[in-house]
Amino acid sequence: MNVTFKPTWYRNFHRIAWLAVALALCVIVFGAFVRLSNAGLSCPDWPTCYGRAAWPTAAHEASDHVATAIRPVEVHKAWREQFHRMIAGLLGVLTLTLALLAARRRRYGVAQVIVAAVLVAVSIPLYMKGQHVAASVLAALGEAILLIAALRWNNSDLSRVAALTLAVIVFQALLGMWTVTWLLKPIVVMGHLLGGLLTFSLLLWMAWRATDLPIRLAEAVTVRKLVILGIALLGVQIALGGWTSANYAALACGNDFPTCVGQWWPKHDVREAFVLWRGIGVDYEGGILDGEARIAIQLAHRAMAMLVFVYLLGLAVKLLRTPGMLGWGTLLALLTLAQVGLGIANVKLGLPLTVAVLHNAGAVLLLFVLVSLLARLRAPEH
């Protein structure tokens, strides 16, 4: 006789997880605001801002700091970048808490998480002192400990996903540092966006599993496969959106839609558009690609958007026809339509900041629906 034991979590684990999900959403959306308002390099040093834990409130407060040689102080932008770092740091603390709680019943589990966290923490002041090699080695060791733990553990107590999420958060911090020090390098900016959404997805999956509110469906296996494909397609589209933004190609077609610069198939340069690595030392603020390369990026983003639009609407129809899934199907359909509408509005209105930020938020909400379904859908119990 097989007996299934329900895992026992810390009584407030699910509450902490949901708080982390909400904060991750804020970090992603605010990060989009920072990037789209051209404030991504407003604090040229890391993790401080012109040597301050907060940010300078007047230009003269940072006049003697070496970072002013890289970029003059813009007080109205500096607070955005540093506040984004602060809330991202708070998210890291919540994720560390979840990892400690999940690993507390594993042999040496808490010790492994603490050692990894200490190694990463020690690497930060070393980096600030210019000891970059030593800092990188310590951070890499911390990451390795977390990844090995995630491979050894399982998800019966959510310890695997908690350790993996903490490892992703650490790598996100590194990407945030490289975003500044490598001057908005597109591959890093895109990776930072994808890392944020991966963090959000892992936290969301963990929160639903800890809450334990399964959706029982006879077709659960089939629908889960469709949802996984939907997440994969959406992930590719988000990556293309990040590449479009990082290369300042959102308005490469002007304000034309569905045509591009007055043509259905304008001249474009795919090879130049998707060179992922161009070396270090180039300032990518404002973009460096010519018009034809940017047009190629915009066309790819539009083409993939059509594919994702059709697929997600089809998935929504499938959910609408499934008993008990009317709400989820309706929500997915509405968010898909809204996301496409916001994308078109971005082009037609000339990329207004509010619409552009909402377009990023829409991607997160679509991911919320799909990951929630993936976490909750299960076959009926016999």
Side-chain angles (χ1 to χ4, degrees):
M1 177 178 170
N2 294 327
V3 180
T4 302
F5 293 96
K6 183 178 178 180
T8 302
W9 296 296
Y10 175 69
R11 64 182 182 275
N12 290 318
F13 187 92
H14 65 294
R15 294 185 177 90
I16 299 171
W18 281 114
L19 179 60
V21 169
L23 184 57
L25 173 61
C26 294
V27 170
I28 293 169
V29 174
F30 194 80
F33 166 70
V34 172
R35 184 178 71 256
L36 293 165
S37 62
N38 297 315
L41 291 179
S42 55
C43 291
D45 50 329
W46 185 94
T48 56
C49 185
Y50 292 97
R52 292 172 172 266
W55 53 83
T57 57
H60 67 84
E61 294 178 357
S63 59
D64 59 344
H65 194 271
V66 67
T68 55
I70 303 173
R71 185 168 294 266
V73 181
E74 294 181 276
V75 175
H76 65 290
K77 290 184 179 181
W79 74 268
R80 303 173 190 178
E81 172 65 9
Q82 195 65 354
F83 181 72
H84 178 242
R85 295 176 185 177
M86 289 177 175
I87 58 176
L90 179 58
L91 178 61
V93 172
L94 286 177
T95 306
L96 172 61
T97 302
L98 290 170
L100 289 169
L101 291 174
R104 74 191 193 283
R105 294 186 178 179
R106 297 281 175 175
R107 188 179 183 186
Y108 306 122
V110 171
Q112 291 177 69
V113 174
I114 290 176
V115 168
V118 169
L119 287 171
V120 172
V122 172
S123 72
I124 296 174
L126 288 177
Y127 173 83
M128 294 172 67
K129 292 177 181 178
Q131 300 178 34
H132 296 167
V133 174
S136 299
V137 169
L138 289 181
L141 284 174
E143 283 280 72
I145 290 171
L146 293 172
L147 292 174
I148 291 171
L151 289 173
R152 291 178 59 247
W153 299 339
N154 58 43
N155 270 329
S156 62
D157 52 4
L158 298 178
S159 57
R160 169 177 287 175
V161 68
L164 180 60
T165 306
L166 183 58
V168 172
I169 281 279
V170 171
F171 193 65
Q172 268 294 90
L174 294 174
L175 286 171
M177 174 189 70
W178 293 330
T179 296
V180 174
T181 57
W182 290 355
L183 304 175
L184 302 181
K185 192 172 185 61
I187 189 66
V188 176
V189 174
M190 182 184 71
H192 196 45
L193 171 65
L194 292 176
L197 291 169
L198 176 59
T199 301
F200 174 80
S201 299
L202 290 170
L203 288 169
L204 179 61
W205 190 91
M206 190 161 34
W208 276 124
R209 284 307 178 103
T211 305
D212 195 28
L213 289 174
I215 299 174
R216 302 288 180 182
L217 280 184
E219 298 181 76
V221 174
T222 300
V223 176
R224 278 174 61 89
K225 290 179 180 177
L226 294 174
V227 168
I228 290 171
L229 180 55
I231 292 173
L233 291 173
L234 181 61
V236 173
Q237 176 61 2
I238 290 171
L240 279 171
W243 191 248
T244 301
S245 178
N247 285 283
Y248 299 84
L251 295 178
C253 294
N255 299 116
D256 290 352
F257 185 88
T259 57
C260 178
V261 291
Q263 303 174 53
W264 286 104
W265 196 246
K267 190 176 180 181
H268 54 283
D269 187 350
V270 176
R271 178 174 296 182
E272 187 67 18
F274 293 98
V275 175
L276 300 181
W277 187 265
R278 296 179 184 272
I280 299 173
V282 180
D283 189 343
Y284 290 92
E285 188 171 27
I288 64 169
L289 299 180
D290 61 20
E292 291 182 6
R294 298 191 202 206
I295 285 174
I297 295 173
Q298 177 63 208
L299 291 177
H301 186 49
R302 291 185 183 187
M304 190 64 196
M306 284 299 301
L307 175 61
V308 175
F309 174 69
V310 171
Y311 184 85
L312 291 185
L313 276 187
L315 178 56
V317 171
K318 169 70 174 175
L319 294 174
L320 288 170
R321 292 177 176 176
T322 303
M325 300 300 291
L326 177 63
W328 286 104
T330 302
L331 182 59
L332 180 58
L334 290 176
L335 286 174
T336 301
L337 291 169
Q339 184 68 349
V340 170
L342 288 167
I344 295 172
N346 267 332
V347 174
K348 301 297 289 184
L349 300 177
L351 202 65
L353 181 59
T354 301
V355 177
V357 172
L358 286 175
H359 192 51
N360 280 261
V364 184
L365 293 178
L366 280 172
L367 200 58
F368 174 87
V369 172
L370 295 175
V371 174
S372 295
L373 289 171
L374 183 63
R376 296 184 63 188
L377 283 172
R378 297 177 210 172
E381 291 182 323
H382 297 291

